[in-house]
Amino acid sequence: MPERRTVALVTLGCARNEVDSEELAGRLEADGWELVEEAADADVAVVNTCGFVDAAKKDSVDALLEANDLKGHGRTQAVVAVGCMAERYGKELAEALPEADGVLGFDDYGNISDRLQTILSGGIHAAHTPRDRRKLLPISPAERQSVSDVALPGHGAPADLPEGVAPASGPRAPLRRRLDGAPVASVKLASGCDRRCSFCAIPSFRGSFISRRPSDVLNETRWLAEQGVKEVMLVSENNTSYGKDLGDIRLLESLLPELAEVDGIERVRVSYLQPAEMRPGLIDVLTSTPKVAPYFDLSFQHSAPDVLRAMRRFGDTDRFLELLDTIRSKAPEAGVRSNFIVGFPGETEADLAELERFLNGARLDAIGVFGYSDEEGTEAATYDSKLDEDVVAERLAHISQLAEELVSQRAEERLGETVRVLVESAGGEEGVHGRAAHQAPETDGQVLLTGFAGGEALSVGRMVEAKVVGTEGVDLVAEPLAAFVSAGGDGRAGSEEAGT
């Protein structure tokens, strides 16, 4: 009987990393590893790191050190770093953090089982030397689909497994193993990015943009529905570019209705949209397709023209407000969220006032605000017109306070609305919580369901129609309408999803 090998995956960062972890889990389970939830119960703790900003890097290092502390006190024998930080820094991270027994890049994912076995057996797998992954694929998007030897985390298919090895969950399953039983799951639509924003290092370690084939996205969604998933969220670095390397930049518009028709799926959500790439047809599909959430995760970053140009981005306050007006003319209750950077090199008081003008007029449901800091390897890091750290901190505090007030006001505007809520937690002292169509997982607030006696009807995974009766900051309080409680899907799109 083969020796029992256990592994735990600790995931940090964004939803894209969560998909990557589940692909790694699928590869490992297919090769005989037993997946466990807690690092303390695993022979090997694999930490899927984030390498986006300094705070995320610190969290990744802390997670690696925390896992390392388990060695010698229980089952854990090895700690391995994977993910964006490991890919971005490779040998540098290995030298700076000897507590990690291995630092594996994306190119190691296809052989993750062998890599972990080598490390667990006391061997050494040399950390990789980072390289600019933008150079691995052809410049022309149309030529990228023919390249088969570039690692694309989250794009895996059963054919990528070693000969004779099939996914543990069945031969027709995707190369993925769910790590939780949540009723929502992310699906990779594409990887990489062709944009060259001056503040962002992601394309250098995630590579150029490449789409997954629609059939792969559909098959994975069908499989997730069989696992009990009710909502899928499409993720990538830039979903508005989907299909450009497949010969059809409007491919997302035709894919979304197909995904919404998958049996068992109650909601499809699209994240990571670029304002400069929004198309009338895409807006129409997002606001009128049953079961497709009228949800717009728009990457504005700023609204002052001079700052946007320095960021290598496009647009301005008035154009952005016009885009939002167009969206809301088709779906008045549409959800919109965005992130913003303040204190960017060269940002003036007038630029900050222009950003305030946009925020006051935009009526956003969720706002993330970040103070600028240099990211090595980016164009902005070489700019001369840097602001003092105390100025950046002051502007960050000011805009963050404004954002908190504005999203609370926007939540109050929803009083009296009828929303369809996907129940994500039920029972216990915390009560019953879920999310409406304008709320994405982890980032946009939630709905507390109250005033309804049918406890069984409010179990996790149910879709409930409810009336908003109160707010708590960005969060909503809603009372379920008993006549509209769905036991796994009545097939009807509520007023939110239909955009009416």
Side-chain angles (χ1 to χ4, degrees):
M1 185 173 181
E3 182 180 356
R4 179 172 180 252
R5 302 176 298 175
T6 56
V7 59
L9 287 115
V10 179
T11 307
L12 295 95
C14 65
R16 301 184 295 271
N17 255 17
E18 293 172 5
V19 176
D20 296 349
S21 284
E22 293 198 348
E23 181 185 296
L24 290 174
R27 291 180 181 276
L28 290 166
E29 188 174 60
D31 204 37
W33 290 78
E34 180 181 340
L35 278 295
V36 296
E37 292 186 10
E38 300 296 330
D41 299 326
D43 297 314
V44 184
V46 177
V47 179
N48 192 347
T49 61
C50 179
F52 183 37
V53 294
D54 286 342
K57 297 173 196 172
K58 182 181 182 303
D59 288 344
S60 295
V61 170
D62 289 346
L64 287 162
L65 292 175
E66 183 178 342
N68 181 71
D69 289 342
L70 297 172
K71 292 191 293 189
H73 299 285
R75 187 180 182 95
T76 309
Q77 301 174 52
V79 176
V80 175
V82 299
C84 291
M85 190 176 181
E87 173 63 35
R88 185 177 182 184
Y89 296 104
K91 290 181 177 180
E92 182 181 344
L93 177 62
E95 292 170 358
L97 198 69
E99 291 86 351
D101 300 287
V103 175
L104 306 181
F106 297 152
D107 293 332
D108 291 307
Y109 283 19
N111 298 299
I112 187 68
S113 178
D114 290 344
R115 300 289 187 263
L116 296 191
Q117 185 60 57
T118 295
I119 294 167
L120 184 60
S121 300
I124 297 175
H125 180 73
H128 75 108
T129 300
R131 52 181 174 168
D132 188 341
R133 298 191 73 86
R134 291 172 294 190
K135 299 178 179 179
L136 302 184
L137 291 169
I139 294 176
S140 169
E143 298 175 7
R144 294 174 186 169
Q145 291 289 328
S146 62
V147 178
S148 60
D149 59 349
V150 174
L152 299 170
H155 288 226
D160 298 327
L161 288 170
E163 186 176 353
V165 177
S169 48
R172 294 173 55 188
L175 191 49
R176 180 171 182 171
R177 196 267 202 185
R178 298 221 64 205
L179 293 174
D180 62 40
V184 59
S186 296
V187 175
K188 272 269 182 89
L189 195 61
S191 288
C193 185
D194 288 341
R195 302 181 71 88
R196 294 296 179 261
C197 300
S198 62
F199 57 84
C200 184
I202 290 176
S204 66
F205 56 85
R206 277 290 184 178
S208 297
F209 185 89
I210 184 167
S211 304
R212 291 183 74 192
R213 294 200 170 273
S215 57
D216 291 338
V217 178
L218 276 164
N219 287 337
E220 187 165 332
T221 299
R222 293 185 184 109
W223 178 81
L224 288 168
E226 292 171 358
Q227 308 302 304
V229 169
K230 300 300 180 183
E231 176 181 325
V232 292
M233 184 167 73
L234 303 180
V235 299
S236 75
E237 279 71 25
N238 177 11
N239 280 334
T240 33
S241 283
Y242 180 69
K244 72 176 186 179
D245 52 324
L246 293 171
D248 185 1
I249 191 60
R250 292 175 295 276
L251 194 55
L252 184 56
E253 286 94 304
S254 60
L255 177 61
L256 284 171
E258 293 187 73
L259 292 170
E261 291 175 359
V262 171
D263 188 32
I265 295 299
E266 288 294 309
R267 181 183 290 154
V268 178
R269 184 185 304 277
V270 184
S271 61
Y272 305 112
L273 302 170
Q274 288 293 336
E277 297 181 30
M278 289 301 295
R279 306 174 291 277
L282 180 56
I283 294 174
D284 287 343
V285 170
L286 287 170
T287 55
S288 66
T289 307
K291 294 189 180 180
V292 173
Y295 174 80
F296 294 80
D297 177 10
L298 293 163
S299 178
F300 289 120
Q301 301 300 342
H302 212 284
S303 73
D306 289 344
V307 176
L308 287 167
R309 302 305 174 268
M311 289 179 169
R312 302 290 183 194
R313 297 178 66 82
F314 307 94
D316 55 48
T317 296
D318 292 331
R319 274 189 275 184
F320 290 164
L321 290 176
E322 182 180 350
L323 171 61
L324 295 179
D325 286 343
T326 298
I327 291 169
R328 289 179 175 133
S329 70
K330 298 175 181 294
E333 297 173 1
V336 186
R337 80 165 326 274
S338 192
N339 293 326
F340 299 89
I341 299 173
V342 297
F344 195 80
E347 181 191 63
T348 65
E349 291 285 354
D351 293 329
L352 195 68
E354 185 69 0
L355 176 58
E356 290 187 53
R357 181 169 80 89
F358 172 69
L359 291 174
N360 278 298
R363 297 170 56 228
L364 302 178
D365 291 277
I367 301 172
V369 186
F370 302 87
Y372 174 81
S373 62
D374 286 338
E375 276 293 310
E376 60 266 40
T378 64
E379 180 184 353
T382 68
Y383 289 173
D384 294 329
S385 49
K386 305 282 178 57
L387 303 184
D388 291 340
E389 288 185 7
D390 57 343
V391 173
V392 175
E394 181 181 344
R395 293 183 180 183
L396 174 61
H398 173 64
I399 297 298
S400 295
Q401 181 178 353
L402 174 63
E404 186 175 343
E405 295 170 358
L406 291 173
V407 296
S408 295
Q409 292 173 16
R410 176 61 181 138
E412 290 173 359
E413 291 179 17
R414 294 190 179 276
L415 285 169
E417 283 186 11
T418 297
V419 294
R420 274 186 104 219
V421 181
L422 176 64
V423 177
E424 294 189 323
S425 64
E429 296 181 1
E430 299 300 320
V432 180
H433 289 86
R435 289 176 300 99
H438 69 281
Q439 298 168 317
E442 307 295 335
T443 59
D444 298 345
Q446 59 185 352
V447 179
L448 170 63
L449 292 168
T450 185
F452 181 66
E456 175 59 28
L458 296 183
S459 58
V460 172
R462 296 293 178 89
M463 191 69 79
V464 180
E465 203 156 332
K467 182 179 180 179
V468 180
V469 297
T471 66
E472 297 177 359
V474 71
D475 298 329
L476 304 181
V477 179
E479 293 183 351
L481 305 175
F484 295 102
V485 174
S486 166
D490 54 11
R492 297 177 301 108
S495 59
E496 284 182 324
E497 277 75 4
T500 58

